[in-house]
Amino acid sequence: MGIWNISRREFDVVALKVALNNPLTRKYILNSLREKNGKTVLEETLDHYSASNFGFSPLELVRKALRIEKEEFASQLKRPMVRRVIIAAFKSVKEYGLQFPQTFSVPLMVVWNITNRCNLKCIHCYQSATASGTKDELTLEEKMAVLDQIAEAGIPTLAFAGGEPLMDKDFWKVVERAREKDFYISLNTNGTLLTPENVARIKELGFAYVGVSLDAATEKEHDAFRGVPGMFSKTMAGIRNLIKAGLQDITCLSYTWSKRNCDQLPEMIKLRDRLGLRKLVVYNFIPCGRAGFDNDLTASQREKGYQIMYQDAQENPGKLLCTAPQFGRYCFEKAKENNNEEGEPIVLSHFGTGRAKLGVLSEIIGGCGAGRAYLALQPNGDLSPCVFMPDTRLGNIKKKNSLLEVWKEAPLLKEMRERKRFAAHCGRCLYRSLCGGCRARAYAYTRKYTGADPGCINNTVTKERNQRGLFLFSRLKWL
């Protein structure tokens, strides 16, 4: 979510492969995490890194892979957020070795559903949010303690979601504290409360990314999704306020792609370009919360949509992301089909876009990141593997089950990280490391966290079987 747009740079895959395959790198990483005078060697290195540094160093290899000048790199390393990413990457290799996909030592991102309050009644709301929210939401004091815990854990990115975050009475105070701690912060909003005043605060506080939900390019269809008439015009007014404030380069359209509105995909691409926004983010439809199975796309419909997205990725590199992990598989298949594994567009999970030559990076990032690269925090402090698993409770951040304890010890997360154990084609797929299927969809259909994701054509019983039929089939199969 919020980390999708963390990098706008083109990677040099040769330098990256050198960093990953050089046996000295592993030795350096292990040595760099030794403690010395209350700090690790790595922290001391980051403290004293300067443009004059040279010689063998994984930091230098990372800098070269990212094609950053030494002066800028030295400056960026002083930022707590950047340091957290680097330290987390080093610790991940130390704790788990180099994996495909990588399990990270801490979540790279926490998606915080800060409130269950919302002014809309969306038919596909994963939280089943309401106007009044819920009575057990965290107090301001508890929210501040949560921020302290997330920062102390070394987590670099924080994405605010809901409900509607802008309806939370503590929202701006929490964001101010998050900025003090130099988190990479993002906002996912329905856009109806993006008043000039709220947009000014967004700009002032330095949000890195704002996702505005829009489920169609027409008023009738969007309002039908959102459950309240007149919301299309309010959302569009909010987007225009962001543009007027000069924030179009951090603004993305968040479009939930379903059976009901899949015909809107080409129109949403056109709308993105007409408005001059940074990206269109095509959200995977997940049958949870208020979302029913009847509105889910068939696997065949998804393949047709991937072709549209793929074409856009070729024509407009970096302007579209899709949270369906199978889109990465689709792009790699196209690369092989076209015998162009160096130049075809691919999606690096939710983190960015690139070219097929970045295969090694996409396999490390690894498609679905639920419980492996990110964690969800619910309004009452409950921790879940994914925002689309709101009823899956791993522990509560207020209690003895701290975030890091849950991340490292929860049996369910360990189970979800073992992709070889996934059911059906998900467990044996050639593209298992870069996709893994959507775990929330697999759970919704099979009631098993390691089940097969029916959103993939390779898991479809017959090409003609609709997703509702597949749901009934799966329930019988897994009983």
Side-chain angles (χ1 to χ4, degrees), residues 177-196:
R177 174 70 70 86
R179 289 305 299 148
E180 288 173 6
K181 295 182 176 295
D182 200 37
F183 284 107
Y184 174 100
I185 57 172
S186 66
L187 170 65
N188 295 279
T189 172
N190 63 40
T192 62
L193 302 179
L194 289 172
T195 62

Side-chain angles (χ1 to χ4, degrees), residues 134-365:
T134 50
K135 295 181 179 179
D136 60 350
E137 295 182 10
L138 298 175
T139 65
L140 176 59
E141 183 181 0
E142 289 170 333
K143 290 170 185 172
M144 294 304 188
V146 162
L147 280 176
D148 291 341
Q149 187 178 148
I150 294 173
E152 288 169 9
I155 296 166
T157 61
L158 190 58
F160 291 102
E164 171 50 54
L166 294 175
M167 288 189 70
D168 182 65
K169 60 182 175 55
D170 301 323
F171 180 69
W172 296 116
K173 292 178 182 177
V174 172
V175 173
E176 287 170 1
R177 174 70 70 86
R179 289 305 299 148
E180 288 173 6
K181 295 182 176 295
D182 200 37
F183 284 107
Y184 174 100
I185 57 172
S186 66
L187 170 65
N188 295 279
T189 172
N190 63 40
T192 62
L193 302 179
L194 289 172
T195 62
E197 294 76 18
N198 281 339
V199 167
R201 295 299 306 279
I202 289 170
K203 185 173 184 177
E204 175 192 354
L205 290 166
F207 277 82
Y209 161 88
V210 179
V212 184
S213 296
L214 199 69
D215 293 311
T218 63
E219 181 175 7
K220 180 179 178 181
E221 188 59 40
H222 174 77
D223 287 356
F225 254 83
R226 296 287 154 175
V228 180
M231 293 302 104
F232 179 82
S233 60
K234 285 191 174 183
T235 298
M236 289 301 296
I239 292 172
R240 292 190 182 97
N241 286 335
L242 288 166
I243 295 170
K244 287 177 185 176
L247 298 179
Q248 63 272 14
D249 195 41
I250 68 165
T251 301
C252 303
L253 294 179
S254 300
Y255 158 65
T256 300
W257 181 42
S258 71
K259 183 181 293 185
R260 179 169 178 166
N261 68 344
C262 59
D263 63 320
Q264 289 286 309
L265 178 56
E267 299 306 313
M268 296 301 292
I269 292 171
K270 292 177 185 176
L271 182 61
R272 173 204 67 196
D273 294 340
R274 189 161 66 249
L275 294 171
L277 303 181
R278 181 169 174 181
K279 276 182 173 63
L280 171 66
V281 181
V282 182
Y283 272 80
N284 205 8
F285 181 86
I286 315 290
C288 67
R290 284 199 291 265
F293 292 93
D294 292 340
N295 198 21
D296 200 1
L297 291 156
T298 66
S300 296
Q301 287 173 319
R302 288 170 177 273
E303 293 294 303
K304 292 176 182 177
Y306 295 149
Q307 175 57 45
I308 295 171
M309 296 181 216
Y310 177 77
Q311 185 66 34
D312 182 61
Q314 286 184 312
E315 297 172 357
N316 302 289
K319 299 288 286 184
L320 180 144
L321 289 176
C322 178
T323 69
Q326 291 85 7
F327 185 41
R329 178 267 303 165
Y330 182 92
C331 291
F332 269 92
E333 286 178 338
K334 281 295 179 182
K336 288 190 174 182
E337 179 184 314
N338 297 333
N339 195 28
N340 185 22
E341 296 186 38
E342 289 296 307
E344 292 293 318
I346 64 166
V347 171
L348 305 176
S349 181
H350 307 167
F351 292 78
T353 54
R355 297 285 166 181
K357 64 183 179 179
L358 301 182
V360 63
L361 183 61
S362 61
E363 288 187 87
I364 291 173
I365 292 172

